Amino acid sequence: MPKRESKGFSEYRNEDLFRSIINYASDAIIPIDISGKIVFWNKAAEKIFGYSSEEIVGKPVTKIMPSHFGKHGSLHAEEAIISREGFVGKTFETVGVRKDGSTFPLEFSYSVWTTEEGVFLTLIARDITERKKMEEMLRSSEERYRSLFENAKDIIVLLDLKGKIVNVNKACENYGVKRKEIIGKNALDFVSQDYHSTVFEEIKKLSKGKLVSGEVEIKTPKGIAFAEYSGNPIKIDKHIVGIQIIVRDITQRKRDEERIRQSEKMFRELFETSLDGIVMVDMHGKIVDCNQAYLNMLGYSKNELKRMTFHQITPEKWHKIEERIIKEQVIRKGYSSEYEKEYIRKDGKIFPVALKAWLIKDGNGKPKGMWAVVRDITEQKLREKKLKRYTHSLEGLVEKKSKELKETQLKLLQSERLAAIGELAGMVGHDLRNPLMGIAGAVYYLKTKAKSKLDNTEKKMLKIIEENIAYSNKIINDLQDYSRELILELNEIDVKTLLKGSLSSIRIPQSVEIIDETCKRHIIKVDVNKMKRAFVNILQNAVDAMPNGGKIIIKSRKAKDTLVISFKDTGIGIPKEILKKIGKPLFTTKAKGMGFGLAICRRIIEAHEGKLSIKSTVGNGTTVKISLPLTSKMKGKQTILVGFPKSVAAYAKT
């Protein structure tokens, strides 16, 4: 120990133990005697103040802390010691003076202790320059950037150089955690375990003045979230005093990226396993990529095709035709209709194909290539010739019946419209069902004969024939339903139950909302199945009138001795000139059908002694009302003929 320390102080402690404890303390520990002179100086004091032990021991404490002790002079005065005993254990801030004369903020506390040799004062001091700089930085930031900091959508975190969170903006509350629950904790507490080492290294880099960025998985009360971060050191007077990190939630982006990866994987699997050929070309026609089916179709290897253009594998007679399709359809609309052309195989053989092309654009929306789905239709062309032979007799029959249908339509326009429908129904039922059965038998024969040899295209062609046979048969049924006698089997049922049964018979799109405001107490006596058919036709028409979705509101109310059921949609509405014709047979605005839906509805409702009315405004939807008597005179099973002479109905039965 230095020679100038007091004898009493030296005798009071175990020298080796005391020296070891005090020398390696992180704070400066400075004992002072009653005269105000320093009696001991540990290594932390040397580091903070710059004096060695030999230079400072025996010197007055005012040399290093003039602003606190200088005004009192020495500590000889008993009053000075007593006055300070009231502050023992408390922490004070003052200004320290280094050996080089520079000053710095100092935090200290002290204790008074007594020996036989006298009274001593022990100061415990620490340099709080870094803390003061951080506080100053925060105050400055508070004034200059408070609005930006608080209102930023991204999370902004301020850390000290050890990774402890000093401040965070209110964006953190979007994740179910309050600011006060974060401040004071280490940043690693909010990072998934797998990222601890990465974040720890990033904090070390930041504390050394480097910029960092990356992605991390963070833990929140609402679950795991993905975030990207960028960090920069905070400097004051060229000294790094803290760290700022901006955190942006990229959970949705990660999910989108995963969906894109899955989509790309699915596309690649579809691309490689498709039975149809798929080819991609640039805007000059050079082949960029193709799948195995395309290679098999042409007999080339992929490397060979990548050195070619699609013009080289297309007969010259198709060049101008295809050039026009690309210009007028693909480039203008972004895609083409399916069209037919020919290809040249590697062995020189020419074969027919059907293809559809789409445009590929770059990030700026400029065309950069095209892709196409290509089918070899050689077998299809052969089958078409065979089918033509099978359908030759049918074409003659169709032509003959077409003339008869035109003659029937003239009759309808001239006079007995309803009677002609009866004749038409009988004629179609008698004369067309037999050839339709013949066609159905031929299709069955082809399917049975070919069995597993049919490819997808062949199966699709036969399915189209079967569907058209079924559709033709439906037209016959509609004609006959419209013209034949109606036999009603009356039963009591409430409107709500009747509507529920009708809704179960049709597919309502998700974009269409059904609002049922009917009353279960409203009971009517009707043929349940036939009235359901009327409801289904009305509901289906309402759905068809709302291709982009909407609402259908169904209400029921009593009006004297009548029950009124209304169906109101929010669809496109019906123009006045068309509304006048709605409900008449053979008039329809749809691509398919003969216009018997509402006509049959009207017959069913009138057979129940009721009325059907339609009101509509273009753009404001359509309302269909059904009025039925609450007290019907009909009982049990009734045979009803509405709108036809008996001779017509009799003919329809044939």
Side-chain angles (χ1 to χ4, degrees):
M1 294 294 289
K3 294 179 180 180
R4 298 191 65 173
E5 66 182 333
S6 72
K7 181 180 179 181
F9 179 82
S10 177
E11 293 176 349
Y12 180 77
R13 46 72 180 152
N14 181 301
E15 185 171 343
D16 292 336
L17 178 61
F18 182 81
R19 183 183 299 276
S20 176
I21 292 172
I22 293 181
N23 264 338
Y24 292 99
S26 59
D27 293 334
I29 300 177
I30 309 169
I32 304 168
D33 63 17
I34 193 66
S35 66
K37 294 180 179 179
I38 298 168
V39 297
F40 187 76
W41 193 254
N42 71 342
K43 292 185 181 298
E46 289 182 3
K47 184 177 179 181
I48 292 172
F49 292 95
Y51 291 101
S52 66
S53 178
E54 289 77 8
E55 291 174 318
I56 198 67
V57 170
K59 298 294 192 298
V61 70
T62 55
K63 192 174 185 67
I64 60 171
M65 298 170 64
S67 61
H68 188 76
F69 291 106
K71 61 185 178 181
H72 296 289
S74 73
L75 300 182
H76 282 297
E78 186 177 350
E79 295 82 4
I81 295 297
I82 293 172
S83 68
R84 300 205 182 276
E85 286 182 353
F87 300 104
V88 171
K90 296 185 179 180
T91 302
F92 302 91
E93 291 185 8
T94 187
V95 176
V97 180
R98 295 189 183 93
K99 179 180 178 181
D100 61 7
S102 62
T103 59
F104 62 95
L106 188 69
E107 179 183 82
F108 73 96
S109 61
Y110 53 82
S111 60
V112 178
W113 48 287
T114 334
T115 69
E116 293 178 357
E117 298 299 324
V119 178
F120 294 90
L121 193 68
T122 299
L123 300 177
I124 300 175
R126 64 171 56 95
D127 184 347
I128 58 172
T129 302
E130 292 299 319
R131 193 182 79 189
K132 285 295 183 180
K133 286 180 178 179
M134 177 63 83
E135 289 173 355
E136 179 59 30
M137 181 275 295
L138 289 174
R139 280 193 295 271
S140 175
S141 176
E142 187 80 17
E143 294 171 1
R144 295 169 56 195
Y145 304 113
R146 175 177 292 276
S147 177
L148 175 63
F149 180 82
E150 291 297 342
N151 297 312
K153 292 182 179 180
D154 296 332
I155 298 175
I156 302 176
V157 187
L158 300 180
L159 310 176
D160 65 15
L161 298 180
K162 294 182 179 179
K164 182 179 177 181
I165 297 173
V166 177
N167 201 359
V168 63
N169 67 343
K170 63 183 180 183
C172 68
E173 296 177 0
N174 295 331
Y175 298 87
V177 60
K178 295 181 179 179
R179 297 167 67 175
K180 64 181 181 181
E181 297 171 344
I182 297 178
I183 294 174
K185 293 186 178 180
N186 195 286
L188 294 178
D189 295 340
F190 302 94
V191 176
S192 296
Q193 185 68 38
D194 293 344
Y195 290 84
H196 274 202
S197 59
T198 301
V199 174
F200 181 77
E201 291 300 320
E202 296 285 60
I203 291 173
K204 285 174 62 177
K205 290 178 183 177
L206 286 163
S207 65
K208 293 178 181 179
K210 296 180 179 179
L211 302 177
V212 300
S213 63
E215 294 182 2
V216 69
E217 198 175 87
I218 59 176
K219 299 181 294 184
T220 78
K222 293 184 177 181
I224 298 297
F226 293 96
E228 65 179 8
Y229 63 86
S230 61
N232 59 277
I234 300 171
K235 296 182 179 180
I236 295 179
D237 296 331
K238 298 183 180 180
H239 294 289
I240 299 172
V241 297
I243 296 167
Q244 175 181 277
I245 297 179
I246 299 175
V247 182
R248 175 169 294 173
D249 189 339
I250 58 169
T251 305
Q252 188 59 48
R253 191 184 81 190
K254 283 288 186 183
R255 290 173 182 164
D256 292 341
E257 288 173 353
E258 180 59 28
R259 280 197 289 269
I260 291 170
R261 280 193 292 271
Q262 291 298 324
S263 178
E264 289 175 347
K265 181 181 177 183
M266 290 173 62
F267 171 76
R268 179 50 59 178
E269 290 176 355
L270 175 63
F271 182 82
E272 294 298 343
T273 61
S274 173
L275 297 177
D276 289 332
I278 302 175
V279 59
M280 296 181 185
V281 301
D282 63 19
M283 293 308 293
H284 300 291
K286 185 178 179 181
I287 296 171
V288 177
D289 197 5
C290 63
N291 67 349
Q292 189 60 45
Y294 194 77
L295 297 174
N296 296 340
M297 189 185 301
L298 289 158
Y300 290 97
S301 69
K302 185 174 286 191
N303 287 335
E304 287 174 327
L305 279 177
K306 283 187 174 183
R307 293 193 292 268
M308 302 172 70
T309 67
F310 71 84
H311 304 99
Q312 293 173 267
I313 55 174
T314 303
E316 189 174 353
K317 68 178 182 178
W318 294 100
H319 287 187
K320 289 186 178 180
I321 297 172
E322 194 162 37
E323 194 176 301
R324 186 172 64 252
I325 292 172
I326 291 171
K327 182 179 179 181
E328 295 179 359
Q329 294 188 41
V330 180
I331 294 177
R332 183 175 296 177
K333 297 192 300 182
Y335 61 92
S336 75
S337 304
E338 185 174 80
Y339 64 96
E340 295 182 3
K341 58 176 273 189
E342 291 174 324
Y343 270 157
I344 307 170
R345 282 196 181 95
K346 186 177 180 180
D347 60 11
K349 185 177 180 181
I350 295 174
F351 64 100
V353 295
L355 63 85
K356 186 171 183 178
W358 287 264
L359 189 65
I360 303 172
K361 296 182 179 181
D362 61 18
N364 297 319
K366 294 182 179 179
K368 71 172 186 178
M370 295 173 286
W371 70 280
V373 177
V374 185
R375 287 183 293 109
D376 182 343
I377 58 173
T378 304
E379 293 298 324
Q380 178 185 326
K381 289 295 182 182
L382 293 174
R383 285 192 300 273
E384 285 176 357
K385 291 180 180 179
K386 293 178 183 178
L387 286 172
K388 188 174 182 180
R389 291 198 299 269
Y390 283 114
T391 58
H392 181 72
S393 59
L394 176 63
E395 289 174 355
L397 178 63
V398 169
E399 184 178 353
K400 178 182 175 182
K401 293 305 177 184
S402 176
K403 292 179 180 178
E404 293 177 2
L405 285 171
K406 287 179 181 179
E407 291 174 1
T408 304
Q409 287 176 340
L410 287 173
K411 290 180 182 179
L412 290 173
L413 293 171
Q414 290 172 359
S415 57
E416 298 181 354
R417 185 182 183 91
L418 297 177
I421 291 172
E423 291 178 18
L424 182 62
M427 178 192 69
V428 170
H430 184 270
D431 292 344
L432 283 185
R433 273 212 169 106
N434 287 338
L436 283 175
M437 291 299 294
I439 297 169
V443 171
Y444 178 78
Y445 171 79
L446 288 174
K447 289 174 69 176
T448 305
K449 187 74 176 175
K451 292 185 179 178
S452 61
K453 295 180 182 179
L454 294 173
D455 61 24
N456 289 339
T457 304
E458 294 167 339
K459 291 177 182 177
K460 185 177 179 182
M461 294 291 292
L462 292 175
K463 186 177 179 182
I464 290 171
I465 295 174
E466 289 177 324
E467 288 173 350
N468 280 280
I469 291 170
Y471 179 66
S472 300
N473 194 52
K474 179 182 180 301
I475 293 175
I476 295 170
N477 288 337
D478 282 347
L479 283 166
Q480 292 187 331
D481 284 349
Y482 186 76
S483 60
R484 68 162 55 103
E485 295 173 349
L486 287 178
I487 299 175
L488 304 181
E489 293 185 11
L490 304 176
N491 290 286
E492 287 189 343
I493 188 171
D494 65 271
V495 177
K496 189 172 285 292
T497 302
L498 182 61
L499 177 62
K500 185 176 180 181
S502 304
L503 287 169
S504 67
S505 301
I506 60 175
R507 188 182 71 83
I508 304 295
Q510 291 183 350
S511 60
V512 174
E513 180 184 3
I514 301 295
I515 301 174
D516 181 4
E517 296 182 4
T518 59
C519 181
K520 196 172 181 64
R521 296 192 303 274
H522 292 165
I523 297 173
I524 49 176
K525 196 171 186 179
V526 295
D527 185 313
V528 175
N529 288 330
K530 289 183 174 58
M531 194 56 69
K532 275 185 182 178
R533 182 174 180 182
F535 277 25
V536 166
N537 280 342
I538 294 169
L539 288 166
Q540 187 62 57
N541 284 342
V543 169
D544 293 343
M546 298 184 291
N548 298 321
K551 297 179 181 179
I552 303 175
I553 305 168
I554 306 100
K555 297 182 179 180
S556 64
R557 63 180 177 85
K558 288 183 179 180
K560 295 183 180 180
D561 58 347
T562 303
L563 181 66
V564 179
I565 306 163
S566 64
F567 301 77
K568 178 176 175 56
D569 65 61
T570 58
I572 58 178
I574 307 170
K576 288 183 179 180
E577 60 273 18
I578 295 177
L579 188 61
K580 295 176 182 178
K581 302 176 184 179
I582 289 291
K584 294 181 180 180
L586 297 182
F587 175 81
T588 179
T589 60
K590 298 181 181 179
K592 297 183 90 175
M594 296 185 68
F596 283 99
L598 275 176
I600 293 172
C601 286
R602 190 182 297 277
R603 288 202 62 226
I604 291 171
I605 292 161
E606 289 177 353
H608 286 82
E609 302 176 340
K611 293 181 181 179
L612 182 143
S613 62
I614 304 172
K615 291 184 179 181
S616 183
T617 305
V618 174
N620 289 325
T622 301
T623 301
V624 178
K625 287 186 179 180
I626 298 173
S627 301
L628 296 170
L630 288 169
T631 54
S632 176
K633 297 177 182 179
M634 297 184 296
K635 295 181 180 179
K637 183 180 289 189
Q638 297 283 328
T639 300
I640 306 298
L641 184 63
V642 179
F644 292 99
K646 290 184 179 179
S647 61
V648 175
Y651 188 90
K653 288 182 180 179
T654 64

